[in-house]
Amino acid sequence: MTGNEIREKFLTFFKNNNHSIIEDSSLVPQDDPTLLFTNAGMVQFKQVFIGEEKRGYSRAATCQRCVRAGGKHNDLENVGYTARHHTLFEMLGNFSFGDYFKEEAIQMAWEFLTVDLALPKEKLWISVFEDDDEAFALWEKIDGLPKGRIVRLGEADNFWAMGDTGPCGPCSEIHIDQGPEAGCGSPDCKMGCDCDRYLELWNLVFMQFNRDENGKMTPLPKPSIDTGMGLERIAAVVQGKMTNYDSDLFTPIISSISTLCSKPYGQDKRTDTAMKVIADHCRATAFLVADGMLPSNEGRGYVLRRIMRRAVRFGRSLGLERPFLSEITAEVVKNMKGAYPHLSESEDLLAKVVYNEEERFRETLDNGLSMLNTEIERLQNESSTSVPGEFIFKLYDTYGFPVDIVRDIALEQGFDIDEPGFIKSMEVQRNQSKKSWKGGSMAVMSAGVKKLVDEGHKALFVGYKTHRTDSNINGLLDHAGESVLKAIQGESVSIFCPETPFYAEAGGQVGDQGKITGPNGKAKVLDTVVVADGIILHEAEITEGSLSIDDKVELKVQEGRRQRIASNHSATHVLHAAMKSVLGDHVKQSGSLVTPERLRFDFTHFSPITQEELGTIENLANEEIRANTQLNTEMLEKEEAIKSGAVALFGEKYGDKVRVISIGNFSKELCGGTHVRATGEIGLLKITAETSIAAGVRRIEAVTGPAAINIFQAREKQLAELASLLKVPAENLGAKIEKLLSAQKELEKEVSRLTAKLTLGDIDGIINSAKMAGDTKVVVSRVALDSPKTLREMGDKIRDKLGSGIVVLGGEYQGKAALLAMVTKDLTGTYKAGNIIKEVSALVGGRGGGRPDMAQAGGPNPDKLNDALGAVYDIIVSQ
Ligand code: ATP
Ligand code: MG
């Protein structure tokens, strides 16, 4: 029975037992921000289990893609070493939401395993939670389960809880005894041992209680069932294999790795481990990318990066020197897209992501490996057994060399790693960098700014609501950053006021401009910046009179400019959402610039965006603009905001309360910028450019409102000018230009035909110039060449007309000398064209030779051509 058949059989079995078959969910958990990856079948049903969500069914079954490679469940380091752990695996599960409970769950599981899959009953073992007499008794009643096979285990193994509070309950696991050869050989090896002998196949969770803050458990009114069985494990068992990697779910992948590195599988433990790791990690990579993850330095992306890098490292140990990962991930897609059609959708992206990451990592890997090998040699000489934490940290910190890889290599060489030492080094550095950051920023702070900070000033930004406000000048800094009491007309100053409607440059949005007016003068604000926490400075020039410290002033933002900035900023959000919807969820903002004139948006994406995609994005964005959707601003707790689906930007820092801008259901982003009230104010969005700025990062530029209209008008004007120039209506321009181009081609052909004709017309003149060497006519001439063939054509014609004699021609073509010598057949006994050309071509710095009747040569010095031709007669006479 193949893995695919088992998956089908499982779902059919539960369908026949009145379960709804539900599609599995993304590896990114939809409503659980605390969970890194979907790690069990029940994840998509959490809200149903706790009663917050109702579905149209009370029994369900799924085959859920799961990842256990980070966060609460992490089996990454087991992969390659155990027979049963993967980073990505498929979990078969049946669920009861207050419907059936223990008895039926046990009966169905037993029936499926022993009847449908025909597993030998005498090899099965059961564990129950130590206090769960009910489950114990139910298993005792099961027909065919040999006596003494039910084992009571403690809380660590057999009690499950959704969290510190909430639903929880005992579990019961079904194991299969794979025989002593699969085990660890320890005399204590028995059910519950961590080795592969008593293989856990299926876990049945009995959700029976609700636990409150005090740890008190009360029975749930409607107890539920959640079960999980690893498909790879059950497939291996059904197929009589001792490891998951020998099941048909893995053999095609393993065999493609084996072919790639020309090493057999199953003969050497280290080679096998490497192949298992690569096979497993390529599966995980394919699935993670398909669910929108990309390698990065944080969160899920970081886990993906670690997985890919670990695979590359193991590939190196198989002698795979060139990038290979994408070939294996392609094999994964080929094998699994039948069961997981969504894999095909991101196949191209996958290949690019994998190739890029692997290329990037190779150099790091080379450097790191050679340092690590040197260190290991040193340790061996010293007879130490542990790789020092400080060293591991250095590798990690300076080379980005992953700690898992150090661990794997250390393990292979019989070393431990000093993990506490590593963590300590990391902390030391963290503290140092904190200190140096503070010192650093203080050092660049001007004296005037430092004074404002020390006096505890903080400006309040009121510009979300208003464009003007009254305030006081609390700080005035000259161009050198020194505090001054007064500034006069013509001087540049930085003005600090405790309250301001001026937006200071942040998050890509440029600073505001405007006017500050005091009792004795005015200043033009050219830019607004934040230079330290809460210190907003208006970079200004005094245009009239003077401004002094403590002046009461009016601050007024230049409204038109601010409106255009707001329009471009809101347009950036609209564009971001449109791109996500057209290109996929992997699109993440990696930088942006919002000015009054235009907007620029950098984002992760691995291929150029096609003209068609750009069109779709532009249309979608403009639809949203025409919908004139109200923008909504909320202040939320950070966790709450992210949970509600707001897009948080990588690398930006947020306080505890964050500002969330939403545009209907279309877009939701954490953002501190200024925006329009409704999308209609944007008017129109036009994309003006799409380019690549780094590996995997692209840039889109766009304009809005009047600037967008300007583009259309300018294009129209240009088109009209062209049309009048070519004297056709604009819609016929294409045809007209095509016509012109083809006429031009014809003319070029004609010109070269005529040039050749002209040159050939000279032939008689050339022949008339023949000189006699004894009885032999010698024709020497320099000719104009329009193609390399001309020389030969002319030579043929002259020789034929000549009847008997020697012809030597030379010309210049594309900066080089070209030479030809011909001797008529009757004379080749005396003169050899090859010999003649050899001597002549030497004079233009070339070399040549050929047949007695015809020889050609070239040379790099065309300026010596006349001398060379002039020497021909003497050369012939001396033959
Ligand atoms: P183990 O003790 O073997 O790691 P577990 O107790 O972590 O298993 P559960 O959390 O109960 O497993 O998950 C339910 C089922 O999913 C297991 O019985 C097993 O068949 C499968 N499973 C769990 N972890 C993995 C993994 N890393 N790779 C493959 N299958 C797994
Ligand atoms: Mg486990």
Side-chain angles (χ1 to χ4, degrees):
M1 215 185 288
T2 64
N4 284 336
E5 284 163 0
I6 296 172
R7 192 191 298 112
E8 276 316 301
K9 230 184 164 102
F10 178 88
L11 296 175
T12 310
F13 175 87
F14 282 99
K15 193 172 171 196
N16 293 341
N17 282 290
N18 302 321
H19 288 64
S20 298
I21 308 307
I22 306 300
E23 210 176 302
D24 71 332
S25 59
S26 164
L27 286 170
V28 181
Q30 288 314 300
D31 35 39
D32 191 346
T34 64
L35 196 59
L36 208 51
F37 298 109
T38 296
N39 57 5
M42 59 80 62
V43 170
Q44 67 165 313
F45 301 116
K46 261 191 185 178
Q47 303 297 323
V48 188
F49 279 122
I50 59 179
E52 298 233 318
E53 195 187 322
K54 292 270 172 291
R55 303 260 174 112
Y57 44 81
S58 59
R59 298 177 171 212
T62 59
C63 176
Q64 173 69 52
R65 51 189 189 268
C66 296
V67 164
R68 293 190 174 182
K72 190 169 146 210
H73 266 130
N74 190 349
D75 288 331
L76 180 69
E77 276 141 31
N78 281 330
V79 172
Y81 302 110
T82 72
R84 67 182 199 278
H85 287 107
H86 302 299
T87 51
L88 171 112
F89 66 99
E90 300 178 63
M91 189 186 282
L92 302 168
N94 56 292
F95 310 93
S96 150
F97 311 112
D99 190 313
Y100 60 85
F101 199 46
K102 290 182 195 179
E103 181 163 16
E104 261 181 285
I106 289 173
Q107 274 168 0
M108 285 191 283
W110 183 257
E111 184 187 334
F112 180 69
L113 290 181
T114 59
V115 179
D116 291 69
L117 298 186
L119 294 191
K121 296 174 184 148
E122 65 282 3
K123 286 194 182 169
L124 297 179
W125 285 73
I126 306 299
S127 68
V128 296
F129 179 53
E130 50 198 1
D131 297 343
D132 194 358
D133 299 332
E134 188 188 0
F136 195 97
L138 287 167
W139 277 113
E140 271 192 317
K141 284 201 303 197
I142 289 286
D143 222 18
L145 178 68
K147 285 270 159 297
R149 289 295 172 78
I150 312 168
V151 180
R152 289 177 188 261
L153 293 178
E155 187 159 343
D157 285 306
N158 279 50
F159 196 88
W160 177 90
M162 198 177 278
D164 292 340
T165 60
C168 56
C171 337
S172 175
E173 297 171 339
I174 307 174
H175 300 246
I176 188 161
D177 180 3
Q178 306 209 89
E181 34 330 331
C184 54
S186 144
D188 304 332
C189 181
K190 56 171 197 269
M191 259 290 281
C193 179
D194 243 2
C195 73
D196 288 326
R197 174 168 177 176
Y198 297 96
L199 177 69
E200 177 191 326
L201 288 177
W202 202 342
N203 189 358
L204 316 180
V205 178
F206 309 133
M207 262 180 236
Q208 196 168 357
F209 305 104
N210 187 41
R211 187 153 51 190
D212 68 15
E213 283 84 12
N214 306 320
K216 193 168 160 265
M217 296 202 293
T218 39
L220 288 169
K222 281 188 165 183
S224 291
I225 291 290
D226 153 32
T227 86
M229 168 161 65
L231 175 66
E232 297 79 2
R233 291 190 192 180
I234 190 70
V237 166
V238 167
Q239 293 166 13
K241 307 294 184 192
M242 288 309 243
T243 86
N244 295 359
Y245 297 92
D246 295 301
S247 76
D248 77 314
L249 293 169
F250 274 91
T251 43
I253 304 168
I254 295 266
S255 110
S256 69
I257 299 168
S258 162
T259 310
L260 208 60
C261 67
S262 312
K263 288 194 167 70
Y265 175 72
Q267 297 198 350
D268 173 78
K269 211 170 152 198
R270 273 179 65 175
T271 308
D272 289 357
T273 296
M275 291 189 192
K276 289 175 188 170
V277 168
I278 295 169
D280 175 276
H281 289 8
C282 284
R283 283 181 13 133
T285 301
F287 274 80
L288 288 169
V289 171
D291 274 336
M293 275 145 276
L294 289 175
S296 74
N297 281 333
E298 52 140 37
R300 301 185 175 103
Y302 185 56
V303 176
L304 172 58
R305 172 162 279 168
R306 282 174 63 185
I307 289 176
M308 290 165 81
R309 293 185 163 193
R310 192 163 181 254
V312 174
R313 202 293 281 178
F314 274 98
R316 183 62 61 93
S317 80
L318 291 176
L320 291 167
E321 296 291 340
R322 61 180 183 83
F324 68 97
L325 223 52
S326 60
E327 289 174 51
I328 310 300
T329 52
E331 183 70 24
V332 169
V333 174
K334 192 175 122 201
N335 280 285
M336 301 192 73
K337 66 182 174 196
Y340 295 91
H342 76 291
L343 289 177
S344 329
E345 285 160 29
S346 49
E347 214 174 338
D348 294 344
L349 177 70
L350 175 68
K352 281 176 199 139
V353 168
V354 170
Y355 189 85
N356 276 334
E357 179 68 14
E358 190 169 6
E359 279 277 277
R360 268 181 69 170
F361 179 54
R362 262 168 197 274
E363 207 172 305
T364 302
L365 185 60
D366 287 339
N367 293 338
L369 283 179
S370 89
M371 285 180 67
L372 182 57
N373 288 335
T374 316
E375 176 71 3
I376 284 184
E377 250 166 56
R378 188 183 72 80
L379 294 170
Q380 270 160 347
N381 290 338
E382 282 182 1
S383 315
S384 352
T385 55
S386 176
V387 183
E390 220 172 304
F391 171 77
I392 302 171
F393 178 72
K394 194 171 122 203
L395 270 186
Y396 167 80
D397 189 42
T398 27
Y399 297 97
F401 200 76
V403 184
D404 329 317
I405 294 184
V406 178
R407 183 184 292 110
D408 285 326
I409 294 175
L411 212 65
E412 278 172 15
Q413 310 257 356
F415 282 87
D416 283 338
I417 68 167
D418 166 24
E419 201 144 352
F422 171 75
I423 293 168
K424 210 173 129 206
S425 301
M426 187 132 92
E427 267 161 15
V428 168
Q429 204 234 26
R430 228 178 245 153
N431 290 335
Q432 271 171 355
S433 66
K434 251 191 220 156
K435 263 189 230 149
S436 70
W437 179 79
K438 265 203 175 145
S441 78
M442 285 299 183
V444 296
M445 239 184 231
S446 70
V449 173
K450 193 166 180 309
K451 183 162 169 271
L452 286 169
V453 172
D454 290 347
E455 288 170 0
H457 289 285
K458 265 190 186 178
L460 177 69
F461 174 63
V462 296
Y464 292 133
K465 292 208 176 70
T466 173
H467 289 162
R468 72 155 296 285
T469 193
D470 294 322
S471 189
N472 294 316
I473 296 184
N474 278 2
L476 211 49
L477 277 52
D478 67 9
H479 66 279
E482 299 288 337
S483 298
V484 290
L485 295 175
K486 183 175 173 178
I488 57 166
Q489 187 174 343
E491 283 182 338
S492 295
V493 281
S494 309
I495 303 168
F496 176 86
C497 301
E499 206 171 286
T500 178
F502 282 75
Y503 182 83
E505 180 194 337
Q509 177 177 335
V510 296
D512 274 334
Q513 298 180 352
K515 263 199 195 102
I516 296 181
T517 312
N520 305 312
K522 277 186 187 155
K524 192 165 128 191
V525 178
L526 304 169
D527 196 5
T528 311
V529 291
V530 183
V531 288
D533 189 22
I535 308 297
I536 300 177
L537 292 185
H538 307 85
E539 306 290 359
E541 197 188 295
I542 310 285
T543 50
E544 245 182 79
S546 66
L547 290 182
S548 305
I549 209 92
D550 290 337
D551 273 358
K552 283 203 179 324
V553 285
E554 179 195 42
L555 296 101
K556 217 170 154 191
V557 173
Q558 189 189 323
E559 272 182 54
R561 184 175 182 273
R562 161 68 88 76
Q563 172 66 22
R564 278 177 280 139
I565 294 174
S567 162
N568 282 342
H569 201 153
S570 303
T572 306
H573 287 213
V574 172
L575 191 63
H576 188 181
M579 284 200 295
K580 259 194 178 359
S581 122
V582 174
L583 302 175
D585 269 343
H586 62 275
V587 167
K588 282 207 185 67
Q589 176 170 342
S590 67
S592 97
L593 175 70
V594 179
T595 75
E597 290 79 31
R598 67 197 174 103
L599 63 98
R600 197 175 77 194
F601 184 75
D602 300 339
F603 58 101
T604 47
H605 186 60
F606 281 81
S607 51
I609 303 178
T610 63
Q611 205 58 41
E612 200 185 337
E613 285 167 334
L614 281 177
T616 318
I617 292 167
E618 218 171 60
N619 287 343
L620 191 58
N622 281 302
E623 256 166 49
E624 192 53 34
I625 290 168
R626 285 191 302 272
N628 199 20
T629 316
Q630 203 82 29
L631 269 79
N632 188 29
T633 309
E634 290 169 287
M635 295 302 293
L636 294 179
E637 297 293 334
K638 185 174 167 188
E639 259 63 55
E640 198 186 338
I642 292 177
K643 203 166 148 183
S644 77
V647 181
L649 302 183
F650 174 64
E652 280 200 20
K653 293 202 171 42
Y654 301 98
D656 285 338
K657 281 259 187 195
V658 293
R659 188 164 178 263
V660 178
I661 306 285
S662 28
I663 308 178
N665 291 324
F666 190 70
S667 151
K668 195 170 219 178
E669 287 192 34
L670 305 197
C671 178
T674 60
H675 287 272
V676 297
R677 282 153 300 190
T679 56
E681 289 174 40
I682 300 169
L684 178 66
L685 178 141
K686 175 84 193 97
I687 296 175
T688 52
E690 194 272 332
T691 48
S692 161
I693 56 164
V697 184
R698 307 205 60 90
R699 166 171 293 174
I700 269 197
E701 289 167 65
V703 292
T704 66
I709 303 274
N710 279 348
I711 283 199
F712 291 112
Q713 290 175 343
R715 295 254 159 98
E716 185 127 329
K717 188 163 163 245
Q718 199 178 19
L719 216 56
E721 280 166 6
L722 283 174
S724 102
L725 207 61
L726 296 178
K727 301 197 175 48
V728 290
E731 55 272 25
N732 295 350
L733 271 175
K736 177 78 184 179
I737 289 173
E738 245 167 46
K739 228 174 168 176
L740 284 173
L741 284 175
S742 87
Q744 158 106 350
K745 251 202 197 117
E746 279 307 312
L747 286 174
E748 277 165 9
K749 269 193 209 150
E750 186 65 19
V751 166
S752 72
R753 241 190 338 262
L754 290 175
T755 320
K757 234 187 194 161
L758 275 178
T759 333
L760 291 179
D762 275 354
I763 285 180
D764 288 338
I766 293 175
I767 289 180
N768 287 340
S769 74
K771 262 180 148 179
M772 300 301 288
D775 294 335
T776 308
K777 278 188 201 154
V778 177
V779 174
V780 181
S781 179
R782 177 166 180 153
V783 295
L785 298 180
D786 61 331
S787 103
K789 283 190 312 203
T790 315
L791 206 58
R792 181 68 199 274
E793 283 167 9
M794 284 188 71
D796 285 343
K797 295 227 158 98
I798 296 173
R799 184 197 49 207
D800 293 349
K801 268 207 161 161
L802 205 57
S804 169
I806 300 175
V807 185
V808 177
L809 300 177
E812 184 179 338
Y813 184 69
Q814 291 187 342
K816 293 211 176 70
L819 288 162
L820 168 87
M822 282 179 160
V823 176
T824 50
K825 282 271 159 58
D826 57 313
L827 299 176
T828 48
T830 322
Y831 303 102
K832 307 265 187 269
N835 293 346
I836 298 170
I837 205 85
K838 203 164 161 188
E839 292 192 39
V840 181
S841 64
L843 300 172
V844 292
R847 249 190 269 161
R851 306 198 312 249
D853 62 327
M854 207 281 291
Q856 272 180 294
N861 306 324
D863 43 331
K864 292 275 161 59
L865 201 56
N866 289 345
D867 294 349
L869 292 173
V872 169
Y873 185 77
D874 290 337
I875 289 171
I876 290 175
V877 173
S878 68
Q879 293 277 307

